[in-house]
Amino acid sequence: MRRSLAGVALAVTSMVALSFLIPLAVLVMSLAREQSITAAEQPAAAMAPILTLTTDPDDLRESMAGLDRAEHLAIHLPDARELGTSHAPAELLERAKQGRESISQDVPGGGWIYLQPVVLPHDRVAVVENFVPEDDLTRGVAASWTVMLVLAVGLLIGSVLVADRLGAKVVRSSKELAQASYVLGEGNLSTRVVPMGPRELRDAGVAFNAMADRMTELLAIERELVADLSHRLRTPLTALHLATERMGPSLESGRVEAAVGALEAELQAIITTARTPLAMGPMGRALREAGDTRAVTPVAHGKTAGERCEAAEVIRRRAGFWAVLAEQQGRSCSLRIAEEDTTVDLAHDDVAAVVDALVGNVFRYTTDGTAFAIVVDRTAQAVELLVEDAGPGIPDPDQALTRGSSTGSTGLGLDIVRRAATATGGTVRIGRAALGGASVRVTFGLSTGSTDTARRSLRGRRRRGGTRQQPD
């Protein structure tokens, strides 16, 4: 590209320079010739009035000596006498005398000659001759041409250098963009370019950076979906485990239990792989270097605009599912749900995922027979979900909210809860439960329109007596 731009600049500048230099060179030569001829005609014209007064050779020589540029001046008197050195051919002299007309022309020997006839008394004719050598006709032309040539060469070099610098800037920007594309294609998502060069290349650089950012977001979303979907499969696996326990010891139940265990191990491996950037090769390392990308998927399974559900109804159905499993393990399960409107801006599956994650952790990290409770309350601006148990509790609540922090745990369950709450402007708090174990309180922001009737709903709840208690 640089060579092409330099060649174009050289060709264009050369054509422009030649279009001006050639006419200018001819004009300079013409002006130099005209100036020399004009200077030669002046002393010849000055001698004409002197000849009308006297033809004495001494007087004429004295007059010739006082004229400028008279070194090649000659006078042809009527009596065939000549003063000075003559360069005019005889036929030209005779023509000037007979025709009594001024003659100026080039001579064969080189140079230019001027003949001025002067009519004297008694019809006699004298001729004043002035000769200009060839060197005088072109005096200063070579120097002028040299200056113009130097200027033209300087203009050509300057234009080529400017074109090369501009081309170098374009080429550098193009090479950086191409190199970044190769690096991005190899999996390094942290690659970015500094937009530079012409406006089109700057726009391409901005578009490249936007594309790389979007790729990082899409890969993060894909990782979240894989991990979240795998995590949701743990709930039916828990049911399968309990079903195999009720089957009693047999060869068939042993095979089923082994298959369920193998499937659970595979799901754990999938979650761990999806949540570990190093397991993803260059792409994962780029995501890790780019920073935490969890904020790009604020809900567990990608909430879309306009999705909402009645949180109390979803929680009631999921609690019914877990109540069956709790009965099989001898757990006491209490459910208390507010009667007011609990509409939140989350999809049904997202709310169900929150309940499954919290209750599933109770079944996973507490022993059989451990009691737990689910409480849904309604405030003026939010819906609160409380899940507490009578287990050993959580030693470090703050660290528990960090994904992958616990030994043997991915931390994905609480992360699903946290992201779902954050999507509605809510929060997640972990503390000590009244039952003695862990307490996880999740706050969901009410859906738009629900807050308008919050005070009326609260007054109605007080009149109705508050909440309903569902037996275990």
Side-chain angles (χ1 to χ4, degrees):
M1 181 179 290
R2 294 174 64 180
R3 286 195 298 269
S4 299
L5 289 176
V8 170
L10 181 62
V12 172
T13 308
S14 298
M15 289 188 293
V16 173
L18 290 176
S19 64
F20 281 96
L21 286 178
I22 293 176
L24 187 59
V26 174
L27 179 61
V28 167
M29 177 178 287
S30 177
L31 288 176
R33 182 181 180 88
E34 289 180 0
Q35 289 178 355
S36 298
I37 292 174
T38 301
E41 290 176 350
Q42 290 176 356
M47 289 302 299
I50 297 176
L51 283 171
T52 59
L53 298 176
T54 179
T55 57
D56 182 68
D58 295 333
D59 294 338
L60 294 176
R61 288 192 183 94
E62 184 178 356
S63 299
M64 292 169 59
L67 297 176
D68 294 332
R69 297 190 178 185
E71 59 273 14
H72 298 293
L73 189 65
I75 299 177
H76 300 273
L77 297 174
D79 54 2
R81 288 182 300 174
E82 294 183 357
L83 301 178
T85 303
S86 176
H87 296 82
E91 59 273 14
L92 284 181
L93 287 173
E94 187 63 25
R95 175 182 163 188
K97 288 180 180 180
Q98 297 298 328
R100 298 182 180 183
E101 60 180 356
S102 299
I103 298 175
S104 59
Q105 66 178 48
D106 295 324
V107 293
W112 177 87
I113 195 169
Y114 176 70
L115 299 177
Q116 175 65 47
V118 180
V119 180
L120 302 178
H122 307 294
D123 200 26
R124 294 180 301 167
V125 178
V127 177
V128 180
E129 172 192 339
N130 199 358
F131 175 73
V132 180
E134 186 68 28
D135 293 340
D136 292 346
L137 291 175
T138 59
R139 181 174 298 172
V141 173
S144 300
W145 284 4
T146 301
V147 172
M148 289 188 292
L149 182 61
V150 170
L151 291 176
V153 172
L155 182 62
L156 290 175
I157 295 175
S159 63
V160 171
L161 290 177
V162 170
D164 182 72
R165 289 299 88 200
L166 293 176
K169 190 174 182 180
V170 173
V171 169
R172 183 167 60 253
S173 179
S174 302
K175 285 184 176 180
E176 290 184 1
L177 188 58
Q179 183 63 28
S181 300
Y182 290 135
V183 175
L184 182 65
E186 292 174 356
N188 187 0
L189 294 184
S190 63
T191 301
R192 298 295 185 273
V193 298
V194 178
M196 58 183 298
R199 182 174 59 84
E200 291 78 5
L201 284 178
R202 291 198 303 271
D203 293 343
V206 172
F208 175 87
N209 291 339
M211 177 190 67
D213 293 338
R214 184 55 180 162
M215 288 180 63
T216 303
E217 294 178 1
L218 292 176
L219 284 174
I221 292 173
E222 182 179 359
R223 290 193 305 150
E224 297 290 343
L225 290 177
V226 171
D228 291 355
L229 291 174
S230 302
H231 191 274
R232 288 193 177 191
L233 290 176
R234 283 180 166 178
T235 299
L237 280 177
T238 303
L240 287 175
H241 269 301
L242 295 176
T244 55
E245 291 177 0
R246 298 177 62 184
M247 291 173 62
S250 65
L251 181 61
E252 185 66 24
S253 64
R255 285 199 298 267
V256 173
E257 180 67 23
V260 172
L263 181 56
E264 186 173 21
E266 289 295 331
L267 285 176
Q268 179 68 24
I270 291 174
I271 296 174
T272 303
T273 301
R275 299 311 314 146
T276 304
L278 288 176
M280 299 178 62
M283 291 289 187
R285 288 193 294 273
L287 289 172
R288 182 187 60 186
E289 294 168 0
D292 190 2
T293 57
R294 288 174 290 178
V296 300
T297 53
V299 294
H301 288 274
K303 182 181 85 67
T304 58
E307 284 187 318
R308 61 179 60 182
C309 69
E310 180 67 29
E313 293 300 324
V314 177
I315 296 172
R316 181 179 288 107
R317 287 196 294 269
R318 297 311 301 164
F321 167 81
W322 287 104
V324 176
L325 301 180
E327 182 180 357
Q328 295 175 359
Q329 293 186 1
R331 298 176 182 269
S332 172
C333 173
S334 65
L335 176 64
R336 191 179 66 193
I337 299 179
E339 295 182 351
E340 289 80 18
D341 176 36
T342 56
T343 305
V344 294
D345 289 326
L346 285 175
H348 174 283
D349 292 342
D350 293 326
V351 177
V354 170
V355 178
D356 291 342
L358 295 178
V359 181
N361 283 340
V362 174
F363 277 76
R364 188 171 299 109
Y365 298 113
T366 62
T367 60
D368 292 354
T370 302
F372 69 95
I374 302 174
V375 179
V376 178
D377 201 359
R378 159 71 184 269
T379 65
Q381 301 292 335
V383 176
E384 291 186 352
L385 168 64
L386 175 64
V387 177
E388 54 184 6
D389 60 67
I394 300 176
D396 191 348
D398 295 333
Q399 188 69 12
L401 288 173
T402 303
R403 181 185 296 144
S405 61
S406 303
T407 304
S409 171
T410 63
L412 182 59
L414 287 177
D415 186 68
I416 293 175
V417 176
R418 181 186 59 79
R419 288 187 289 117
T422 303
T424 63
T427 59
V428 178
R429 296 193 303 274
I430 300 178
R432 177 64 64 175
L435 297 176
S439 169
V440 181
R441 184 179 298 274
V442 184
T443 302
F444 300 106
L446 280 173
S447 175
T448 304
S450 298
T451 56
D452 296 337
T453 59
R455 295 184 182 274
R456 183 169 62 255
S457 298
L458 288 175
R459 288 196 297 269
R461 185 179 69 174
R462 286 195 293 268
R463 288 194 299 269
R464 291 191 298 268
T467 60
R468 288 189 288 115
Q469 183 82 18
Q470 179 171 319
D472 295 348

